[in-house]
Amino acid sequence: MRSDSSRGNPLPVFPAWSSDGLTIYYKGSDEEGTASFWAVPVWGGTPRLLVRFDDPTMRSNRIEFATDGNRLFFTTTRQESDIWLMDLTPP
């Protein structure tokens, strides 16, 4: 995802209207793939950063989210892997 280089903000993905219709919430990600949630008034203005996922082990990979105007609801994933080690001995 590219960012809006004139402002340094991520371009919007999956926008959602607030219940009062005065704010648009959206998710974006920067050039490094770091996800964040933003809010911007419908009449324009500077987007306001709400959440940024700085921890590389805790990511928000899905674009879907919901809001009630006070809280954001979204899923997170944790990057995990299992490593197995085995010693091989000749018979």
Side-chain angles (χ1 to χ4, degrees), residues 13-76:
V13 176
F14 201 78
W17 289 90
S18 63
S19 58
D20 62 8
L22 298 176
T23 305
I24 298 174
Y25 298 94
Y26 66 91
K27 183 174 182 181
S29 61
D30 61 20
E31 288 84 5
E32 291 82 37
T34 303
S36 53
F37 286 101
W38 298 78
V40 64
V42 295
W43 56 85
T46 303
R48 182 171 46 101
L49 177 64
L50 303 174
V51 176
R52 181 175 164 85
F53 295 92
D54 291 328
D55 183 349
T57 65
M58 184 68 71
R59 304 190 57 94
S60 177
N61 294 326
R62 299 181 60 119
I63 61 169
E64 300 89 354
F65 71 96
T67 181
D68 64 1
N70 295 312
R71 295 170 287 198
L72 286 171
F73 303 92
F74 53 87
T75 58
T76 60

